[in-house]
Amino acid sequence: MRLVVVLAVLMGVSGIPDVTISPPTASADTSAHPNSIPETADESEQIKARTEEGAEEDVMATGELNPNHYPARRAAQVVQHYLNTRYGSPFRLIGVQTVHSGNAEDVADSGRKYQLELSVNDITNTTQTCSAELFFPKGKGQQPPEVKALCEELVKIDIKAQEEALYQKYKTNQTLMSAQYLPDSHGHIEPDMKPFWHLGILASSFIMLNESTENTLYNVAQVANITQLTTEEDHLEFDCHTLLHEMVSQEIIHWKMLFTWSPAEGVKVVQMKRLPHRHEREKSPKTN
Amino acid sequence: MLDCVGMSFVLLLSAVGAATVERAQYDYYKYHPMSEITSWMEQMVKDHPDVVTVVKYGKTYESRDISLLKIGLNTGKEKKAIWMDCGIHAREWIAPAFCQYFVREILQTYKTDAKMEEMMKNVDFYVTPVLNIDGYIYTWENKTTRLWRKNRSPGPEDCSCYGTDLNRNFDANWGTVGVSFDCCSNTYPGTKPTSEPEAKAVTDFVGSRKDIFLCFLTIHSYGQLILVPYGHPNYTAPNYNELMMVGKGAAEAIWKVHGMNYTVGASPDVLYANSGSSRDWARMQGIPLTFTFELRDNGTYSFELPEDQIQPTCEEAYSGALHIITYAHDKTFSGAVANAAVTLWSILLAAGVTGATLM
């Protein structure tokens, strides 16, 4: 008995094989978590295929798209910008929540077509599903993508009253409003200024939509300045300087816009102009 | 006699004052300028002298000390380690905020949580709250500098712009994809691999100790992603399946906290191709579990995440990081112990049965 015990102890102490707890394979990870995509045979082929493709991104994903991968995610962002230009309001910004599925294909020599099923939500956290079709034209010069999107009927949140109140307040204000750096460095925005931050984003959405390609992902980094201008027309008019963040290049791109807004018409961009590199990025000239 | 009372009163007031200052809480849910972060690091050592030391391991271009906090229960022998760095990119303020929260959290929980105490005994945590110190300070200079990304080195002679993208400067497929050789560009990878002192500090320190590191986490924002190596589309890490499994476990842990979705994948799949990242360099050194965290948000506030989101972001990110760290730890430590115990017990039981029969 004692011998067995000694042997057992010896085995226990020295005979520990290099036991690596073999992790369950990814396909066994069957959690209900929305991000878990079971590893399929297709995916392992993707890994092999990746080594055959060139390092350049010009071999574009075709056929069924992985909704978690960048081609579908970038296309969904374009749909977001489109929806905001059409349906956004100072009291409702639309954002992509989930991409459910997607498909991409080449169209002869003219460009690439995407189909997407996605869910979007807004400030009130109401979710709606949308079907979208995008076309990214090929060829010389920057041509904007063409977007079509159909979303299920949204229970209209009562923003009409808020829009009217905002419009009346600033139509009849003695002084023209002006705000800078929305949000500020610490992410703070005065509650009164939030609708103007949203307006800056809506107006920027026209630019972001125009500028988008399959190789970009745009967000508004900051509204540097939004200033109300006098106008006799039935809308409010603004001069706006916005900083766009383009994710793929990581650049901050400055745009200046002139735009109008009214509850009836929504946002209309009258003028837009891209601003060159800012001087604070440049060294002062060498003084010898 | 009045003088005596007066003196006593003054002494009493200063005692109370001193006590109040000592007990003044550091606000982990506000953004702090570099000077406050440096003081905080010193305070952490003062508050936990047996567990925390500051290690200076390099200098920035503008000659500031790059420091990390080494945290662990001292067993007197060289220990395995976990690496975490924050603030490679200056404008990603939520990242340094998370590193500070992480330190506070492990120092608080190890006293009451047996698992954390075990991990503190077995591994050392090396946490760099701000790596790109010059850049971080620059983003605090005024409202127009807030969105600076790179470091503050002047780059080549003929360049009219400052800065190298530190996360393109590491020697890992350097200069191949996801970079621009326009020195004014935000993805300028530098004049050559590890040309930048901030990157060199990491490679010197980690490189000379690479065998002790179980896990290398680098914290960024924004995008709500957990990225696995490699950034180059033609290369796949040999343990890609393991990395994805652990990454997805972390994303699930994150989701359980506040319902936020973090997407897991290799950078060229879910974000964009890139090269010269610290994560890729660390993986190439053989550190098995290397991840990039991209914290909140998804683009609404982008880099200027509101301070009222610091707490929930840190809570969920901590949960995610802890999942990875626990996996890395258990793979090295608990597994062998558990197996030995099982072996021992089964033999003893068998012997006991045999003994009983014999008797």
Side-chain angles (χ1 to χ4, degrees):
Chain A
M1 180 65 177
R2 203 177 295 156
L3 186 61
V4 178
V5 174
V6 168
L7 277 173
V9 171
L10 278 175
M11 265 194 73
V13 167
S14 63
I16 303 167
D18 191 41
V19 180
T20 38
I21 303 169
S22 46
T25 56
S27 54
D29 180 25
T30 53
S31 58
H33 179 48
N35 271 347
S36 62
I37 303 273
E39 191 178 300
T40 59
D42 289 344
E43 222 178 283
S44 37
E45 270 160 27
Q46 254 182 52
I47 292 167
K48 264 199 293 191
R50 193 185 299 150
T51 60
E52 287 152 16
E53 285 171 20
E56 305 301 318
E57 282 185 68
D58 50 5
V59 184
M60 302 301 265
T62 296
E64 196 181 325
L65 299 176
N66 184 322
N68 278 349
H69 287 191
Y70 75 77
R73 290 160 62 89
R74 290 179 194 174
Q77 192 87 340
V78 178
V79 176
Q80 174 180 304
H81 300 320
Y82 168 82
L83 291 174
N84 274 316
T85 61
R86 284 295 195 94
Y87 308 108
S89 154
F91 299 97
R92 186 222 270 170
L93 279 186
I94 299 165
V96 174
Q97 189 186 64
T98 321
V99 183
H100 299 294
S101 64
N103 208 281
E105 61 187 34
D106 291 311
V107 179
D109 259 328
S110 60
R112 283 177 41 89
K113 186 170 114 170
Y114 283 70
Q115 270 154 341
L116 286 183
E117 298 293 319
L118 64 155
S119 288
V120 300
N121 60 8
D122 61 27
I123 293 160
T124 65
N125 257 329
T126 330
T127 306
Q128 53 178 343
T129 50
C130 304
S131 292
E133 235 176 65
L134 300 92
F135 179 71
F136 291 99
K138 224 195 293 199
K140 287 202 160 102
Q142 164 67 42
Q143 279 178 279
E146 294 160 26
V147 185
K148 274 183 270 188
L150 261 176
C151 299
E152 66 184 358
E153 195 59 47
L154 171 72
V155 173
K156 286 276 177 249
I157 50 172
D158 188 18
I159 53 174
K160 282 292 168 204
Q162 291 168 283
E163 288 182 335
E164 275 305 320
L166 183 76
Y167 180 72
Q168 285 309 320
K169 178 176 178 188
Y170 287 91
K171 204 60 180 129
T172 57
N173 230 7
Q174 290 305 314
T175 43
L176 299 166
M177 70 71 62
S178 183
Q180 288 76 46
Y181 296 104
L182 307 173
D184 71 11
S185 291
H186 297 250
H188 180 71
I189 305 169
E190 283 300 309
D192 278 351
M193 291 297 109
K194 274 215 163 131
F196 299 101
W197 175 51
H198 291 158
L199 276 171
I201 293 174
L202 293 182
S204 302
S205 297
F206 286 84
I207 299 173
M208 295 192 288
L209 177 61
N210 269 8
E211 295 292 303
S212 287
T213 69
E214 292 169 279
N215 299 316
T216 60
L217 185 77
Y218 279 100
N219 283 293
V220 175
Q222 205 173 33
V223 174
N225 189 311
I226 178 164
T227 301
Q228 186 182 5
L229 305 172
T230 41
T231 173
E232 297 298 314
E233 313 280 320
D234 289 338
H235 52 225
L236 302 178
E237 189 162 316
F238 299 94
D239 184 74
C240 183
H241 180 166
T242 192
L243 309 179
L244 304 183
H245 174 234
E246 200 290 292
M247 183 72 83
V248 181
S249 64
Q250 290 292 348
E251 296 298 337
I252 302 294
I253 308 167
H254 295 242
W255 282 83
K256 265 214 133 184
M257 292 171 280
L258 194 64
F259 73 90
T260 64
W261 174 78
S262 72
E265 288 183 340
V267 170
K268 287 197 178 333
V269 177
V270 176
Q271 257 177 55
M272 52 190 179
K273 184 172 122 170
R274 181 176 169 158
L275 299 177
H277 275 178
R278 303 273 292 176
H279 284 293
E280 57 264 22
R281 291 176 60 184
E282 294 179 12
K283 298 179 205 166
S284 29
K286 283 194 164 62
T287 46
N288 281 329
Chain B
M1 190 185 137
L2 273 172
D3 278 335
C4 237
V5 174
M7 273 298 285
S8 314
F9 190 60
V10 168
L11 279 169
L12 183 66
L13 276 178
S14 18
V16 170
T20 317
V21 165
E22 267 161 44
R23 263 191 254 111
Q25 292 291 339
Y26 187 77
D27 195 340
Y28 289 88
Y29 308 136
K30 287 244 175 303
Y31 295 116
H32 292 273
M34 196 61 215
S35 55
E36 288 176 15
I37 297 176
T38 306
S39 305
W40 167 83
M41 290 176 78
E42 289 158 12
Q43 191 62 43
M44 286 295 106
V45 174
K46 286 199 188 108
D47 290 348
H48 309 267
D50 47 337
V51 184
V52 183
T53 47
V54 170
V55 179
K56 294 182 184 174
Y57 65 100
K59 282 212 189 280
T60 65
Y61 175 78
E62 290 174 351
S63 298
R64 298 184 174 94
D65 287 321
I66 304 174
S67 318
L68 56 78
L69 290 173
K70 180 181 173 184
I71 304 166
L73 289 165
N74 203 342
T75 55
K77 58 179 181 183
E78 197 199 50
K79 295 164 63 183
K80 293 292 184 188
I82 308 287
W83 173 272
M84 182 184 290
D85 65 72
C86 295
I88 280 188
H89 291 136
R91 59 193 181 195
E92 299 165 13
W93 283 14
I94 187 60
F98 173 65
C99 264
Q100 293 164 70
Y101 174 93
F102 179 84
V103 164
R104 192 277 301 267
E105 206 59 25
I106 62 176
L107 287 173
Q108 242 175 29
T109 59
Y110 88 88
K111 291 171 188 162
T112 52
D113 181 272
K115 185 65 187 176
M116 182 54 74
E117 190 192 8
E118 181 198 347
M119 294 204 285
M120 283 276 227
K121 280 187 182 146
N122 291 331
V123 306
D124 284 330
F125 294 85
Y126 291 81
V127 182
T128 302
V130 185
L131 182 62
N132 181 6
I133 297 171
D134 297 346
Y136 186 71
I137 290 173
Y138 186 65
T139 59
W140 280 80
E141 198 167 289
N142 62 57
K143 294 173 183 187
T144 67
T145 61
R146 175 62 178 83
L147 295 173
W148 187 258
R149 167 183 168 89
K150 302 185 283 183
N151 74 349
R152 291 296 293 168
S153 68
E157 264 283 319
D158 56 342
C159 186
S160 60
C161 299
Y162 283 92
T164 292
D165 185 345
L166 292 174
N167 211 33
R168 302 287 185 277
N169 187 241
F170 286 78
D171 194 2
N173 294 310
W174 180 88
T176 53
V177 293
V179 296
S180 166
F181 283 98
D182 176 353
C183 63
C184 291
S185 148
N186 261 349
T187 54
Y188 175 65
T191 48
K192 58 178 182 169
T194 334
S195 57
E196 304 308 299
E198 297 88 354
K200 187 166 189 305
V202 175
T203 58
D204 283 350
F205 188 87
V206 175
S208 59
R209 299 167 175 74
K210 61 181 176 176
D211 292 333
I212 68 170
F213 285 102
L214 304 175
C215 171
F216 183 102
L217 302 178
T218 180
I219 314 296
H220 293 248
S221 77
Y222 59 94
Q224 296 178 207
L225 305 165
I226 296 175
L227 301 172
V228 305
Y230 288 109
H232 194 292
N234 287 9
Y235 298 91
T236 304
N239 63 334
Y240 173 81
N241 286 351
E242 181 187 34
L243 287 162
M244 284 301 288
M245 182 204 67
V246 180
K248 284 173 184 173
E252 174 154 19
I254 289 173
W255 182 73
K256 283 188 174 146
V257 184
H258 296 298
M260 284 305 201
N261 287 340
Y262 279 58
T263 304
V264 184
S267 202
D269 289 332
V270 298
L271 184 60
Y272 46 56
N274 70 346
S275 57
S277 68
S278 65
R279 172 206 65 226
D280 283 0
W281 175 84
R283 185 63 194 88
M284 286 178 172
Q285 297 303 301
I287 300 171
L289 296 154
T290 66
F291 296 88
T292 307
F293 274 57
E294 295 280 357
L295 303 181
R296 290 194 195 183
D297 61 11
N298 257 330
T300 308
Y301 288 92
S302 81
F303 301 109
E304 311 99 63
L305 192 70
E307 287 178 313
D308 65 10
Q309 285 198 46
I310 295 179
Q311 183 175 356
T313 305
C314 287
E315 287 167 347
E316 68 201 17
Y318 179 79
S319 211
L322 193 63
H323 177 89
I324 297 170
I325 290 165
T326 306
Y327 175 89
H329 167 274
D330 289 354
K331 204 178 162 192
T332 313
F333 294 96
S334 303
V337 171
N339 221 63
V342 169
T343 314
L344 199 59
W345 273 112
S346 47
I347 289 167
L348 285 172
L349 278 169
V353 167
T354 324
T357 321
L358 280 174
M359 279 157 63

